[in-house]
Amino acid sequence: MTSVNNAIRRPAHVTGDLDVVRVLLERRAARSVPGARRDPHQIALVVGGGGMRGAYVAGMLRALEREGLRDAFDEAYASSSGAASAAAFLTGSADSGAACFPEDLASRRFIDTRRLVAPGPVVSLDYFIDKVLGVRKPLRWEALVDSPAPLRVVATDVDDLTAWELYPQTVPDWKLAIRASATIPLSAGRAVPFAGHRWVDGSVAEPLATARALAGGATHVLVMLCRGEGELDPRPIAALPWWNRLADRLVPGLGTLAQGTRRYTAELAIIDNHITGGAPRGEHLLAIAAPRG
């Protein structure tokens, strides 16, 4: 641990325990792959979403892939745009997953406010799922079905605004799950039906699945946030303001999503508690935020 800390300069936007880096590098050196581990660790990757801010984490995932660290993870948890980026990473196409943001999504084919008064949602998930991930930068959907390091997609149940993991079993299921987790209330169309429930953006109820990964037995967790360290507000929210509660009643999830930086309070507290010695089972957390521009 000491050698890793001395060898790596910790930027301001990197917070937590560099033991996560140590075990990742050890696995890379040992050419360890999921399903054939010899160490006692369970390493989870937690990827945040956030619409076009997802370009930050997509770039981080591309860096991990280029460093040969994809096979070092045992599982990944992700929601919203982060779910698509995590899917690209786990299937070996993080480069194209990152490139789709400037090359395909920064366009009116994907986001067009003129559609507020014209047919179609402002954010076109049809274009994203069918054209970008299907044709322009094809995602290897079939590889997700049998991935040795499973992707656990988190979405929000529209009826009670609670977060759940989805369990897709087929390629069509995976396309629905990614769509469900990225469906922004109001702007991206109606809630997506899947497994008998209706779902919207996973980050409405759970911006980061850090606690979920720890509850699943992870010993080391690498957390990727799409917001910069200057954008994160650690102050707790006692309750949503009345206008956010009203928005949630009118369009489930909209008011909660509008809280922006304040929605990360619980996740930041988890990370901070582990840094200050609050890890009951000795877990290790490392969080990377987007650097201040």
Side-chain angles (χ1 to χ4, degrees):
M1 179 64 185
T2 302
S3 61
V4 173
N5 276 305
N6 289 340
I8 300 176
R9 178 180 176 272
R10 187 196 303 267
H13 58 283
V14 177
T15 304
D17 188 345
L18 289 180
D19 196 62
V20 176
V21 177
R22 178 183 66 80
V23 296
L24 287 171
L25 295 179
E26 286 179 352
R27 283 187 170 181
R28 183 180 67 178
R31 299 183 184 275
S32 175
V33 296
R37 309 287 194 201
R38 294 187 178 183
D39 62 56
H41 312 306
Q42 181 174 328
I43 308 178
L45 175 66
V46 173
V47 183
M52 290 300 287
R53 284 189 177 89
Y56 287 118
V57 294
M60 297 177 198
L61 291 169
R62 180 175 62 177
L64 286 180
E65 183 176 89
R66 290 183 174 182
E67 289 298 318
L69 293 171
R70 177 169 62 94
D71 287 339
F73 293 94
D74 296 299
E75 58 190 349
Y77 295 79
S79 63
S80 193
S81 61
S85 295
F89 172 70
L90 292 176
T91 57
S93 54
D95 265 340
S96 59
C100 76
F101 283 90
E103 294 177 5
D104 304 296
L105 302 185
S107 73
R108 282 184 169 172
R109 295 188 67 184
F110 180 54
I111 302 175
D112 191 347
T113 55
R114 294 177 301 181
R115 290 197 288 262
L116 283 169
V117 293
V122 170
V123 178
S124 176
L125 291 180
D126 286 342
Y127 170 69
F128 181 45
I129 301 292
D130 299 333
K131 299 299 183 184
V132 178
L133 299 184
V135 179
R136 297 173 68 89
K137 292 179 173 60
L139 183 66
R140 293 175 54 229
W141 295 100
E142 68 284 353
L144 289 172
V145 177
D146 299 313
S147 175
L151 171 59
R152 310 194 187 282
V153 176
V154 178
T156 301
D157 189 329
V158 76
D159 292 325
D160 59 8
L161 298 184
T162 56
W164 296 82
E165 290 178 39
L166 304 184
Y167 295 96
Q169 302 295 321
T170 64
V171 168
D173 280 354
W174 273 105
K175 292 182 179 181
L176 270 180
I178 297 295
R179 179 188 293 269
S181 185
T183 297
I184 304 168
L186 187 63
S187 64
R190 297 179 178 179
V192 176
F194 182 83
H197 294 258
R198 296 178 304 135
W199 307 95
V200 293
D201 194 310
S203 65
V204 169
E206 192 172 278
L208 291 168
T210 309
R212 188 178 296 273
L214 292 171
T219 60
H220 296 72
V221 182
L222 178 61
V223 184
M224 294 184 165
L225 299 94
C226 65
R227 292 181 180 270
E229 75 275 16
E231 295 182 279
L232 299 171
D233 190 338
R235 294 175 297 169
I237 305 172
L240 287 177
W242 68 266
W243 56 86
N244 292 94
R245 296 197 303 272
L246 177 60
D248 273 344
R249 293 189 65 179
L250 296 174
V251 180
L254 180 61
T256 305
L257 197 62
Q259 281 293 296
T261 60
R262 297 292 291 277
R263 294 184 300 113
Y264 292 84
T265 300
E267 285 73 18
L268 294 175
I270 292 170
I271 296 167
D272 185 61
N273 287 340
H274 277 68
I275 293 171
T276 56
R281 294 181 289 114
E283 309 96 331
H284 305 271
L285 287 181
L286 184 68
I288 305 177
R292 192 188 302 271

